[in-house]
Amino acid sequence: MADGKRKTFKRKSEPEDGARDSMDELRTYLSSKFASLRDEMHKEITSRDVLLRKLEESVTRLSEDIAPVKDYVTAEMDEEDDDASSSSSGTPEDGTPQDGDQETEEERNNRALNICVDVMMSLTEIRENNEEKTQKVRGFYEKIYKASPFTSLMLKFLERNGGVKVLVDCDSSNISNLVGRLVNLDGEKCNGTAFLTFADIFECRVYLGGVRGQIDVKKRGQFVHETFDPEVSLAQSLAQIVMYLIFKNRGCPYACDDEMYEKLYEKIVLETSQKKESVTMDGYVHHAFSMKSSLAREVSLISVVPGMLVKYGSKEGMSKLLEQMPFLTFFFIHHVIPKMRS
């Protein structure tokens, strides 16, 4: 922080309100830090050279805040898990909550989940469909919804806005049975066998191989096998569609005329690219940077945030994101998420 002191967070003593109050406090804290960086950029927006220098200074200062924020998120999520476990142990053997308000809230949450998943299933076409495949694909959406408040918001955004079409092949790890040839974000013509999933941004179509697949990812000069789960790949492709629907800028997470956020995001991508050579990062990050064009890297990288939340779950996923890509995570929370909500 600017004064050289790290922020100390106070723990909440009320189990029923602790998680909500803690996350409100965390959001307020992160918002202030991100807003500070954004405001500094706004003052210097007329000069690219000065802007980049100010960004360098801001990144250096904000780096000091990452450790306490990461520790705080982990601690609060541990507390939330303990509270949930405690509440579970206080229910009767048949699992019925004794508190009517809790039951009502649970029913309300389940109803919202089912409505959202029903809408997404109505927008989905499954190749050679049957009941087993329907349940499998439904499970993909349920896992995305339950993974994190951020990923459920992403599905709710698509539920409200519609327009997307999802095509799934539950019998293959690639999309060759769904689409023959296509042009990727690097502008290259490719066969469907090259993709586990693909977001056709301009057509608002997502193609998905519903079987877990493997691809070679280059890490520090060596290719390694990485396993990609279909629900994670689906979350990433849907995120790219969401970026296009919100910002109307080829899938980039900022508007065409928003120079401030464009430069900020370019700086974040550069910082993450440099960091991946010295810090162990997830295979999804390396896959994003395997793209040749800056456009493809920008579009792919922002989708890693919901992807990792689905892969690891809310607590572990957020912890890894804050450790590996803190500024990308801040950008997603404080720029992309408000756009989804509005």
Side-chain angles (χ1 to χ4, degrees):
M1 294 184 181
D3 60 2
K5 297 180 181 179
R6 288 189 170 184
K7 181 163 179 74
T8 301
F9 296 101
K10 294 182 180 180
R11 307 283 296 223
K12 304 295 180 183
S13 59
E14 299 82 7
E16 65 274 12
D17 296 329
R20 180 169 59 254
D21 292 345
S22 298
M23 291 311 295
D24 287 344
E25 182 181 352
L26 175 61
R27 278 194 292 270
T28 300
Y29 172 65
L30 293 182
S31 295
S32 66
K33 300 306 299 180
F34 193 83
S36 176
L37 172 60
R38 182 187 58 207
D39 292 343
E40 286 188 26
M41 291 178 57
H42 184 70
K43 295 176 183 177
E44 305 292 345
I45 198 66
T46 56
S47 169
R48 179 182 175 87
D49 292 337
V50 174
L51 172 62
L52 292 178
R53 188 182 74 246
K54 296 295 288 185
L55 277 168
E56 291 283 1
E57 295 171 357
S58 298
V59 166
T60 300
R61 289 198 305 274
L62 279 171
S63 294
E64 299 176 4
D65 296 326
I66 300 309
V69 172
K70 176 179 178 294
D71 293 342
Y72 178 69
V73 170
T74 302
E76 289 302 332
M77 288 183 172
D78 285 339
E79 184 178 273
E80 186 176 352
D81 287 346
D82 292 341
D83 293 343
S85 177
S86 176
S87 298
S88 175
S89 63
T91 57
E93 292 184 0
D94 62 1
T96 303
Q98 293 178 331
D99 190 326
D101 291 338
Q102 289 182 352
E103 184 177 9
T104 301
E105 182 176 357
E106 181 180 358
E107 290 177 348
R108 184 165 59 249
N109 292 337
N110 287 335
R111 183 167 58 254
L113 182 153
N114 288 327
I115 291 174
C116 184
V117 172
D118 285 344
V119 172
M120 294 308 302
M121 288 298 294
S122 72
L123 302 173
T124 301
E125 180 180 317
I126 303 172
R127 180 176 177 270
E128 298 180 356
N129 195 16
N130 56 38
E131 183 60 28
E132 181 180 355
K133 293 177 181 178
T134 296
Q135 292 306 313
K136 182 177 184 178
V137 174
R138 188 177 184 87
F140 295 162
Y141 289 122
E142 289 176 349
K143 185 168 183 179
I144 294 172
Y145 190 100
K146 294 177 181 178
S148 163
F150 299 149
T151 54
S152 64
L153 180 62
M154 185 175 71
L155 290 188
K156 290 175 183 176
F157 175 88
L158 292 170
E159 172 196 346
R160 293 193 305 267
N161 290 273
V164 66
K165 182 71 175 179
V166 181
L167 296 94
V168 185
D169 182 359
C170 289
D171 301 314
S172 176
S173 61
N174 63 63
I175 62 173
S176 59
N177 293 323
L178 301 173
V179 58
R181 290 178 64 82
L182 46 81
V183 178
N184 66 15
L185 287 169
D186 284 324
E188 301 172 337
K189 293 182 179 180
C190 305
N191 292 322
T193 53
F195 298 93
L196 306 181
T197 184
F198 183 79
D200 188 334
I201 293 173
F202 301 109
E203 295 293 331
C204 282
R205 283 185 170 232
V206 169
Y207 302 94
L208 176 72
V211 178
R212 176 182 293 186
Q214 282 192 335
I215 62 173
D216 290 331
V217 175
K218 192 174 184 179
K219 292 184 176 182
R220 300 180 185 178
Q222 293 185 335
F223 284 97
V224 296
H225 291 296
E226 286 282 342
T227 300
F228 279 54
D229 294 319
E231 61 269 25
V232 179
S233 298
L234 176 59
Q236 289 192 266
S237 288
L238 290 175
Q240 293 177 22
I241 297 293
V242 169
M243 296 305 113
Y244 175 70
L245 292 174
I246 292 176
F247 298 105
K248 307 296 184 184
N249 188 18
R250 303 174 297 172
C252 294
Y254 51 83
C256 295
D257 58 351
D258 194 338
E259 185 180 359
M260 182 175 67
Y261 276 104
E262 178 184 357
K263 300 308 178 188
L264 173 58
Y265 189 63
E266 287 177 355
K267 180 60 186 173
I268 290 172
V269 173
L270 177 61
E271 187 267 349
T272 307
S273 177
Q274 295 171 341
K275 188 177 180 181
K276 72 180 175 62
E277 301 303 327
S278 58
V279 175
T280 300
M281 288 196 178
D282 200 83
Y284 290 90
V285 180
H286 289 276
H287 179 60
F289 281 108
S290 70
M291 306 298 176
K292 297 178 182 178
S293 67
S294 59
L295 170 64
R297 290 190 293 271
E298 287 191 13
V299 172
S300 299
L301 187 62
I302 194 66
S303 71
V304 171
V305 176
M308 286 181 64
L309 290 172
V310 174
K311 179 179 181 180
Y312 296 107
S314 184
K315 181 177 75 171
E316 185 180 358
M318 184 58 69
S319 179
K320 287 180 179 292
L321 285 166
L322 287 171
E323 179 180 359
Q324 297 177 21
M325 302 173 293
F327 302 114
L328 180 70
T329 308
F330 288 3
F331 185 92
F332 189 88
I333 292 173
H334 297 292
H335 179 57
V336 175
I337 291 297
K339 298 293 185 181
M340 284 195 211
R341 288 190 174 130
S342 63

